[in-house]
């Protein structure tokens, strides 16, 4: 730590007893390194006192700082007392006050003329704009802006007065109060102050430092470099160049220190990486180039805190890690569940009669649970998925989940106060469960926040809605982090950029060195336009860019090896543009920079097809399979042998998933089940016009029965695309019934013989000696008689394809080894089966498909242009031989896609 060592040596030269000094720092992190340096120098006296400059200013102002939720509640109470228009509720108030408060603090900190002048200026500007608007059409937004600033000229002075009466102060007020006390403080204090490593000061901070310098009660040590200090174009030196012009720095008190470290030899490498998380994958390779003995002098700086989990994943091999930055609370599962819980309550406030399953599942999946709760949740999810319940009624929720330990949290809250009490009890209960340390800390943070909010809202009598409580909790979640405990003096350091202040490392690795991350750019959340901020000397994004530029150059000026990684992919707010600071170094510095392009290849992964060997166990199961073979088994094999193996040999099945939009499969089932219910009533009858007309009128009733059979809720079809799908399904059913009605009206004799005809034990011999056989089983959707011809009808959702069979001696062996001919294969099996059923002997047979996609077309029959049913069954026999062949393994059929 070169800079800190230099300061300590200077102070020890001045006084061997450092307790005479008060060391003022930008942050507290360097304190542990100062103590180490003193230990290395065998210092045995009392330590100096350490302050941050904020603590020093607060001490001078002697006011109680107030911020965050406590400030918002008090500020809203004041706002309500003024009866301003609009009369915003607390939720609306929170949409604008936090941003205004930051602007107000900036006015108080930076404007020489004070906040009243800026407020009046904004009000006057809006009045002028409003006057100009009156010359044309009325502009409602302009009126709102005018009213807003008119209100603020009244409201903020009253708020300041009310805060002062309680001896409370915002950050800006503290600076304003301290400003009037600085000269007296500097004159009367007997302390000696040492300001270390500062760059930008607020006017009050600058006044304090300069007054102490004038009374010879302070020293300033800056860490500057000639590279960016001497060049007026370099924004990194903007503030330091201004400090050097202070009259307090003269021949007797030099400006310390400006060094020539940046031009010293450095290895600078820039990595253009395709992907955000991919940056972390580069770290192991970078570590290989760094001697592990020098890890104590190595820092990984994350400009995007969201990369911390991924970075830790790839650093599992690093012995000692010290994480300076906190782990964002918002990235933890419990935090997401709490967010979802408040979103659910907000939905319940809208008086919804049912629960959307996606509002419930994330909560019960993410919250820690006891074994009893886990079993209850598993059963609940299974029933919801099985019945495809998208919207869960309150009655069903109580029936299935009332035993859950935190079930009351899922009910509509009586009041925010009672709900906070339940949340506190819930957090206490969770902490007794077997959870990991990070989750325990996460829960503890929330328990404290719930107590804090409960205690702070208690004195106020205005209504706190659930939406407001959600805003307060989300603010807490987004601003808090879990701190890690480590050994900052040993091992690899993982830090944010601000944590690097005053510290120096030989090896520096920066991730996410992108424009928008470094610097942040024009991303200020403010109500004050750029020109207004500039006119009143308030910081703009330009000053913020200069501050970030200094942190960047200062960090690398003493480094020997610098690795700069940026995400080159554009996604979301990330433009994929490297930071302009990288471009500046490339174009302006004399350093030789190595460039690397690391692509996250999006080429499809070439993998070998899955192959399942027909082991003795598999062959045994195939022998068992022979006793119960269906046409769908064979079509499944044609589509993909691995699917056949998984479903028919291993007897596995896909897990149920809730479908918010009716799937193709269930659309077909809806039509199929409805037709089954309709024709089941007509079975055994020669149809008359009246039979079919009554059926057409009762379609909706039959569809309701089909919906129950699908285990769907009626509400599932009441809105959106499902309403459309059901309407289309109804039209298809109506078309099929009308087709049959038209046949009957034309004098055809139509009799329904069977619906969902089950068949089994229909033998099919594989050899001439009839010693080897398989047995077919299955269901035929519909068997009817049309003018004496037996029709075997299979319903299909898909369009009809390849029902013209052309089998001859040249292709009989392989004809049905083709997935495109699976419809014909199925019909051939049905025809063979029916021919072997005694009740249908002697009838002329016709097999065909009735497609729901072409319902008005009617039944399309299987046609043999070449060959017949015997040749077809020979081809099917060869397909079965292939499945049973012990020398032919099950090999995955990989689908290829062409553009």
């Amino acid at each position: 730590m070169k800079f800190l060592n230099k300061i300590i040596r200077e102070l020890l030269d001045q006084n061997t007893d450092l307790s005479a000094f008060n060391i003022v720092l930008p942050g507290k992190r360097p304190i542990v390194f100062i103590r180490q340096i003193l230990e290395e120098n065998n210092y045995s006296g009392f330590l100096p006192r350490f302050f941050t400059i904020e603590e020093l200013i607060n001490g001078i102002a002697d006011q109680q700082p107030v911020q965050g939720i406590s400030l918002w509640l008090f500020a809203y109470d004041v706002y309500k007392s003024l009866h301003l228009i609009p009369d915003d509720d607390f939720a609306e108030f929170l949409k604008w006050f936090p941003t205004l408060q930051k602007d107000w603090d900036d006015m108080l900190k930076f404007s020489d003329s004070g906040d009243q002048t800026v407020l009046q200026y904004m009000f006057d500007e809006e009045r002028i704009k409003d006057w100009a608007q009156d010359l044309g059409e009325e502009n409602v937004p302009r009126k709102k802006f005018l009213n807003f600033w008119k209100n603020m000229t009244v409201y903020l002075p009253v708020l300041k007065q009310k805060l002062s009466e309680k001896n409370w102060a915002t950050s800006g007020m503290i600076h304003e109060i301290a400003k009037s006390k600085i000269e007296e403080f500097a004159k009367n204090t007997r302390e000696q102050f040492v300001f270390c490593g500062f760059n930008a000061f607020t006017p009050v901070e600058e006044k304090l430092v300069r007054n102490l310098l004038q009374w010879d009660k302070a020293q300033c040590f800056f860490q500057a470099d000639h590279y960016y200090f001497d060049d007026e174009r370099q924004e990194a030196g903007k503030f330091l160049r201004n400090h050097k012009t202070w009259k307090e720095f003269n021949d007797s008190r030099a400006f310390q220190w400006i060094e020539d470290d940046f031009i010293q030899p450095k290895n600078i490498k820039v990595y253009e990486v395709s992907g955000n998380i991919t940056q972390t994958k580069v770290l192991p390779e970078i570590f290989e180039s760094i001697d592990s003995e020098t890890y104590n002098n190595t820092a990984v700086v994350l400009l995007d805190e969201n990369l911390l989990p991924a970075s830790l994943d790839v650093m599992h091999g690093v012995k000692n890690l010290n994480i300076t930055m906190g782990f964002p609370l918002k990235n933890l599962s419990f935090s997401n569940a709490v967010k979802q819980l408040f979103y659910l309550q907000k939905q319940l406030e809208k008086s919804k009669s049912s629960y959307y399953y996606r509002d419930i599942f994330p909560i019960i999946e993410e919250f820690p649970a006891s074994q009893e709760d886990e079993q209850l949740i598993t059963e609940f999810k299974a029933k919801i998925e099985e019945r495809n319940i998208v919207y869960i009624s309150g009655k069903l929720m109580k029936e299935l989940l009332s035993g859950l330990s935190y079930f009351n949290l899922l009910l509509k809250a009586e009041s925010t106060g009672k709900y906070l009490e339940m949340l506190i009890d819930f957090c206490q209960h969770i902490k007794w469960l077997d959870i990991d340390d990070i989750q325990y800390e996460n829960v503890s943070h929330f328990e404290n926040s719930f107590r804090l909010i409960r205690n702070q809202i208690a004195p106020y009598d205005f209504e706190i809605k659930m939406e407001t409580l959600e805003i307060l909790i989300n603010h807490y979640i987004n601003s808090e982090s879990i701190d890690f405990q480590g050994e900052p003096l040993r091992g690899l350091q993982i830090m944010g950029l601000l944590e690097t202040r005053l510290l120096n490392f030989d090896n520096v690795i920066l991730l996410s060195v992108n424009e928008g991350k470094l610097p942040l750019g024009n991303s200020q959340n403010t109500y004050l336009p750029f020109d207004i901020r500039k006119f009143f000397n308030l910081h703009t994004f330009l000053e913020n860019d200069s501050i970030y530029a200094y942190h960047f150059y200062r960090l690398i000026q003493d480094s020997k090896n610098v690795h700069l990684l940026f995400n080159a992919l554009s996604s979301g707010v990330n433009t994929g543009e490297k930071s302009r600071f990288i471009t500046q170094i490339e174009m302006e510095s004399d350093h030789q920079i190595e460039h690397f392009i690391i692509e996250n290849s999006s080429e499809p992964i070439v993998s070998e097809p899955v192959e399942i060997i027909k082991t003795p166990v598999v062959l045994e199961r195939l022998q068992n399979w022979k006793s119960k073979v269906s046409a769908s088994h064979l079509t499944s094999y044609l589509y993909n042998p691995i699917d056949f193996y998984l479903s028919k040999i291993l007897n596995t099945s896909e897990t149920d998933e809730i479908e918010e939009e009716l799937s193709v499969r269930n659309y077909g089932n809806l039509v199929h089940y409805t037709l089954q219910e309709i024709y089941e009533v007509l079975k055994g009858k020669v149809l008359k016009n009246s039979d079919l007309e009554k059926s057409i009128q009762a379609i909706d009733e039959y569809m309701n029965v089909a919906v129950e059979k699908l285990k769907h809720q009626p509400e599932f079809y009441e809105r959106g695309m499902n309403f459309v799908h059901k309407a289309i399904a109804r039209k298809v059913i109506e078309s099929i019934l009308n087709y049959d009605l038209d046949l009957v009206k034309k004098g055809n004799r139509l009799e329904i013989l069977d619906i969902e005809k089950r068949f089994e034990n229909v033998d099919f011999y594989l050899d001439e000696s009839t010693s080897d056989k398989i047995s077919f089983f299955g269901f035929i959707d519909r068997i009817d008689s049309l003018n004496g011809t037996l029709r075997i009808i299979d319903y299909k959702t898909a369009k009809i394809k390849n029902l013209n069979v052309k089998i001859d001696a040249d292709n009989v062996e392989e004809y049905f080894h083709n997935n495109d001919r699976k419809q014909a294969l199925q019909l051939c099996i049905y025809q063979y089966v029916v021919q072997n059923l005694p009740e249908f002997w002697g009838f002329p047979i016709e097999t065909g498909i009735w497609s729901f996609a072409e319902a008005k077309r009617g039944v399309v029959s299987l046609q043999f242009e070449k060959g017949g049913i015997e040749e077809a069954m020979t081809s099917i026999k060869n397909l079965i031989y292939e499945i049973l062949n012990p020398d032919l393994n099950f090999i995955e059929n990989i689908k290829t896609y062409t553009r």
Side-chain angles (χ1 to χ4, degrees):
M1 299 297 158
K2 176 182 174 183
F3 178 62
L4 292 177
N5 269 293
K6 197 171 181 180
I7 291 173
I8 296 302
R9 284 198 302 270
E10 178 71 25
L11 295 179
L12 287 172
D13 288 344
Q14 295 175 20
N15 193 333
T16 55
D17 181 12
L18 295 186
S19 64
F21 297 109
N22 295 284
I23 298 180
V24 185
L25 304 164
K28 291 195 172 184
R29 176 164 174 73
I31 295 174
V32 67
F33 291 95
I34 292 174
R35 287 174 175 167
Q36 183 195 30
I37 293 168
L38 291 173
E39 185 180 342
E40 290 171 352
N41 282 270
N42 297 316
Y43 177 74
S44 57
F46 288 105
L47 289 173
R49 291 198 297 169
F50 297 99
F51 297 91
T52 64
I53 198 162
E54 289 84 5
E55 290 172 340
L56 189 55
I57 295 292
N58 288 353
I60 295 170
D62 193 24
Q63 295 284 302
Q64 177 65 42
V66 61
Q67 60 184 351
I69 295 171
S70 54
L71 172 61
W72 298 348
L73 288 163
F74 183 82
Y76 180 66
D77 196 42
V78 173
Y79 181 82
K80 290 291 288 185
S81 68
L82 296 175
H83 304 291
L84 297 171
I85 299 174
D87 184 20
D88 290 338
D89 61 21
F90 192 36
E92 288 296 319
F93 177 80
L94 289 179
K95 291 179 181 178
W96 56 264
F97 180 74
T99 300
L100 176 73
Q101 184 232 321
K102 290 177 183 176
D103 286 340
W104 186 36
D105 280 341
D106 283 351
M107 297 176 203
L108 293 168
K109 286 181 181 180
F110 294 100
S111 175
D112 295 332
S113 49
D115 58 324
Q116 288 281 38
T117 307
V118 182
L119 291 170
Q120 190 62 45
Y121 189 99
M122 288 300 300
F123 177 46
D124 291 342
E125 184 178 83
E126 290 301 330
R127 287 173 61 196
I128 293 170
K129 290 177 180 177
D130 184 61
W131 172 81
Q133 290 292 340
D134 285 343
L135 300 178
E137 296 181 2
E138 183 177 0
N139 189 304
V140 175
R142 182 63 62 203
K143 296 287 185 186
K144 288 183 178 179
F145 297 152
L146 173 62
N147 187 58
F148 176 79
W149 288 112
K150 180 182 178 181
N151 286 344
M152 292 309 104
T153 57
V154 175
Y155 169 58
L156 290 179
V158 174
L159 177 59
K160 184 193 291 187
Q161 178 190 341
K162 296 292 185 183
L163 287 167
S164 298
E165 289 173 1
K166 288 186 170 289
N167 202 36
W168 293 350
T170 66
S171 175
M173 288 174 63
I174 287 172
H175 274 66
E176 184 181 51
I177 294 165
K179 184 177 182 181
S180 61
K181 297 182 177 181
I182 282 174
E183 290 182 5
E184 183 182 354
F185 172 81
K187 179 181 178 181
N188 296 329
T189 185
R190 297 182 179 181
E191 305 287 340
Q192 282 290 324
F193 295 89
V194 182
F195 294 88
C196 305
F198 286 93
N199 174 37
F201 290 113
T202 66
V204 174
E205 291 167 351
E206 181 177 327
K207 182 179 181 181
L208 171 64
V209 175
R210 296 184 68 173
N211 270 269
L212 288 170
L213 286 172
Q214 288 169 14
W215 288 97
D216 289 325
K217 295 176 181 178
Q219 302 175 64
C220 278
F221 298 106
F222 298 99
Q223 189 175 14
D225 194 277
H226 282 291
Y227 175 77
Y228 53 80
F229 187 92
D230 297 342
D231 188 347
E232 292 286 340
R233 300 171 302 170
Q234 286 283 354
E235 56 195 334
K238 175 181 178 178
F239 294 105
L240 294 173
R241 286 191 291 270
N242 176 64
H243 301 339
K244 192 173 187 300
T245 62
W246 293 351
K247 65 181 181 180
E248 288 76 23
F249 294 121
N250 47 42
D251 293 339
S252 60
R253 183 189 289 115
F255 181 89
Q256 298 174 306
W257 291 287
I258 308 174
E259 298 167 328
D260 275 318
D261 291 326
F262 188 84
I263 62 172
Q264 301 306 315
K266 301 180 191 302
N267 298 316
I268 301 178
K269 297 179 180 180
V270 175
Y271 303 80
E272 177 183 327
V273 184
S274 297
N276 201 32
I277 299 298
T278 311
Q279 294 177 88
T280 63
K281 308 301 181 188
V282 185
L283 290 176
E285 187 175 339
I286 294 175
F287 292 152
E288 288 179 7
S289 65
I290 300 172
D291 185 354
S292 61
E293 297 297 322
T294 65
Y295 277 176
N296 292 352
N297 218 341
T298 301
V300 176
V301 181
L302 304 180
L303 299 170
D304 182 354
E305 62 182 9
N306 295 314
L307 289 182
L308 179 58
S311 300
L312 294 176
D313 281 345
V314 300
M315 294 185 195
H316 55 83
V318 179
K319 221 173 200 183
N320 293 310
L321 277 178
N322 183 60
I323 307 170
T324 300
M325 62 193 306
F327 191 97
L329 209 62
K330 63 184 179 182
N331 289 344
L332 295 169
S333 61
F334 187 82
S335 303
N336 293 328
V338 170
K339 275 187 176 182
Q340 190 64 38
L341 190 62
F342 278 98
Y343 177 79
L344 173 66
Q345 284 296 325
K346 197 167 64 172
Q347 298 302 103
L348 292 175
E349 275 194 343
K350 297 176 182 177
S351 300
K352 287 198 170 184
S353 59
S354 59
Y355 294 78
Y356 181 41
Y357 84 100
R358 283 187 183 271
D359 291 343
I360 296 295
F361 277 27
I363 297 172
I364 60 178
E365 288 172 347
E366 297 292 353
F367 274 155
S370 62
Q371 288 185 351
E372 295 80 5
D373 281 350
E374 283 183 0
Q375 183 177 351
L376 196 66
I377 290 166
T378 302
E379 292 172 358
F380 169 75
K381 288 178 62 181
K383 288 177 182 176
I384 297 302
E385 288 167 353
E386 178 192 0
R387 297 168 62 181
N388 200 70
I389 302 176
V390 178
Y391 293 94
I392 311 166
S393 68
K395 180 181 177 183
L396 187 61
M397 276 285 291
K398 188 173 182 180
E399 179 187 326
L400 298 178
L401 270 188
S402 58
L404 194 66
S405 62
Y406 54 88
F407 179 68
N408 286 342
L409 292 177
L410 305 179
L411 302 177
K412 184 177 179 180
E414 294 180 29
S415 68
T416 51
K418 289 183 179 179
Y419 200 69
L420 280 170
E421 292 292 348
M422 287 194 294
L423 286 167
I424 293 168
D425 292 341
F426 172 59
C427 289
Q428 290 176 329
H429 169 72
I430 288 178
K431 288 162 68 175
W432 287 98
L433 300 177
D434 184 18
I435 56 178
D436 60 52
D437 291 343
I438 291 180
Q439 202 164 37
Y440 187 91
E441 286 294 323
N442 194 2
V443 174
S444 298
H445 270 68
F446 273 100
E447 183 185 354
N448 292 335
S449 73
F450 295 145
R451 291 183 188 277
L452 179 70
I453 293 172
R454 179 197 61 184
N455 296 339
Q456 288 184 341
I457 65 176
Y460 301 99
D461 58 1
F462 52 81
E463 183 185 8
I464 302 290
K465 294 180 180 178
M466 196 58 65
E467 180 185 5
T468 312
L469 194 57
E470 181 192 26
I471 294 171
L472 296 177
I473 294 297
N474 283 343
H475 167 77
Y476 176 81
I477 292 173
N478 293 329
S479 61
E480 286 291 311
S481 59
I482 293 177
D483 294 327
F484 291 91
Q485 290 185 346
E487 175 49 70
L489 305 178
R490 291 176 56 216
L492 188 70
Q493 307 290 313
I494 304 176
M495 324 172 75
L497 185 63
L498 293 181
E499 283 77 32
T500 65
R501 289 176 295 185
L502 274 74
L503 307 181
N504 307 107
F505 301 93
D506 287 345
N507 309 303
V508 174
I509 306 165
L510 282 92
L511 276 68
S512 298
V513 192
N514 282 81
E515 200 69 19
K517 295 288 185 185
L518 184 71
L520 291 175
N522 188 9
S523 59
Q524 273 185 306
N525 195 11
T526 176
Y527 290 132
L528 301 175
F530 176 85
D531 55 340
I532 304 297
R533 283 184 160 273
K534 200 74 177 169
F535 181 77
F536 286 104
N537 297 316
L538 276 61
H539 273 194
T540 68
F541 71 91
L542 296 177
E543 282 72 29
N544 293 337
D545 285 359
S546 298
I547 292 170
Y548 273 89
Y550 172 74
H551 290 322
F552 173 73
Y553 279 101
R554 190 214 63 78
L555 177 62
I556 67 175
Q557 70 189 41
D558 286 322
S559 301
K560 297 175 182 176
N561 302 296
V562 181
H563 303 267
L564 306 174
L565 292 80
F566 70 94
N567 176 16
L569 286 185
S570 300
S571 61
V573 295
N574 178 50
T575 61
E577 181 183 356
K578 66 182 177 184
S579 169
R580 65 173 177 269
F581 296 156
I582 294 179
T583 307
Q584 286 175 6
I585 294 175
E586 290 171 340
M587 299 183 66
E588 298 173 358
S589 77
D590 294 328
H591 294 295
Q592 294 296 316
I593 300 174
E594 292 185 74
H595 292 82
F596 301 90
I597 298 175
I598 299 171
E599 294 185 356
N600 187 8
S601 176
S602 59
E603 290 295 319
I605 299 172
V606 179
S607 59
E608 293 296 320
V610 175
E611 184 172 352
I612 303 296
I613 298 171
K614 290 179 180 174
T615 62
V617 175
V618 173
L619 292 172
E620 181 183 346
R621 293 198 176 187
L622 281 172
Q623 288 301 314
N624 294 335
W625 168 73
K626 288 166 63 178
S627 64
K628 207 170 185 181
V629 176
S630 79
S632 63
H633 293 178
L634 301 183
T635 56
S636 172
Y637 178 83
L638 289 175
Y639 181 77
N640 191 347
I642 297 300
D643 288 350
F644 170 82
Y645 168 76
L646 292 173
S647 61
K648 313 310 174 190
I649 305 304
L650 293 187
N651 296 319
T652 60
S653 60
E654 295 182 6
T655 56
D656 290 329
E657 289 186 4
I658 294 177
E659 54 186 49
E660 295 188 48
E661 183 177 339
L662 197 66
S663 65
V664 174
R665 179 173 63 88
N666 276 333
Y667 165 80
N669 288 338
L670 177 62
V671 178
H672 192 115
Y673 292 160
T674 305
L675 290 172
Q676 181 183 345
E677 293 299 321
I678 291 171
Y679 283 103
E680 187 68 37
V681 177
L682 303 174
K683 187 168 69 172
K685 296 177 66 175
V686 177
L687 298 184
K688 298 177 183 177
N689 294 356
S690 58
D691 294 327
L692 292 165
E693 287 168 354
K694 286 179 183 178
S695 297
I696 292 171
Q697 290 174 0
I699 286 177
D700 291 330
E701 296 173 21
Y702 288 116
M703 288 193 79
N704 291 337
V705 176
V707 168
E708 288 183 16
K709 200 170 181 180
L710 281 168
K711 296 182 178 179
H712 286 177
Q713 292 175 298
E715 296 89 347
F716 182 66
Y717 297 95
E718 288 179 357
R719 58 174 71 88
M721 284 305 298
N722 294 330
F723 178 83
V724 175
H725 290 317
K726 187 178 179 183
I728 294 171
R730 190 190 190 286
K731 195 71 177 173
V732 168
I733 296 161
E734 190 177 1
S735 296
I736 291 173
L737 289 172
N738 277 322
Y739 190 92
D740 282 345
L741 178 60
D742 190 51
L743 285 175
V744 174
K745 282 181 178 180
K746 290 178 179 178
N748 293 288
R749 186 181 186 279
L750 179 60
E751 180 183 1
I752 304 298
L753 300 178
D754 214 335
I755 296 294
E756 286 294 303
K757 169 67 176 176
R758 177 183 172 86
F759 61 87
E760 59 184 341
N761 298 324
V762 178
D763 294 338
F764 177 58
Y765 294 99
L766 302 178
D767 60 356
E768 293 181 1
S769 63
T770 67
S771 60
D772 191 13
K773 68 176 183 178
I774 59 115
S775 295
F776 285 121
F777 95 103
F779 296 86
I780 298 173
D781 294 336
R782 168 172 161 176
I783 301 176
D784 65 26
S785 173
L786 181 62
N787 300 325
T789 298
L790 194 70
R791 295 197 307 174
I792 298 117
I793 300 171
D794 187 53
Y795 295 132
K796 292 288 183 193
T797 307
K799 289 186 176 182
I800 295 164
K801 188 176 182 182
N802 294 334
L803 292 189
N804 291 329
V805 179
K806 302 174 183 178
I807 302 181
D808 55 28
D810 295 331
N811 63 15
V812 68
E813 297 292 328
E814 303 290 333
Y815 190 80
F816 280 123
H817 289 57
N818 187 329
N819 187 49
D820 289 339
R821 294 177 179 148
K822 61 185 179 183
Q823 291 181 354
L825 179 149
Q826 190 168 358
L827 292 181
C828 287
I829 291 175
Y830 286 169
Q831 182 168 334
Y832 173 85
V833 166
V834 172
Q835 286 176 345
N836 284 274
L837 294 176
E839 63 262 42
F840 298 121
W841 285 348
F843 286 96
I845 296 175
E846 177 184 326
T847 59
I849 288 175
W850 204 329
S851 168
F852 299 155
E854 304 167 297
K856 293 182 179 180
R857 189 177 173 187
V859 179
V860 177
S861 300
L862 179 71
Q863 301 291 332
F864 285 96
E865 292 188 15
K866 289 184 181 179
I869 190 65
E870 290 184 6
E871 288 77 11
M873 294 310 294
T874 299
S875 184
I876 292 171
K877 185 189 298 182
N878 289 332
L879 179 61
I880 295 170
Y881 277 145
E882 180 179 307
I883 295 172
L884 297 173
N885 190 339
D887 298 324
L888 293 177
N889 294 331
F890 293 120
I891 301 175
E892 181 183 13
N893 183 12
I894 297 178
K895 301 291 184 289
T896 56
Y897 298 90
T898 56
R899 294 182 179 179

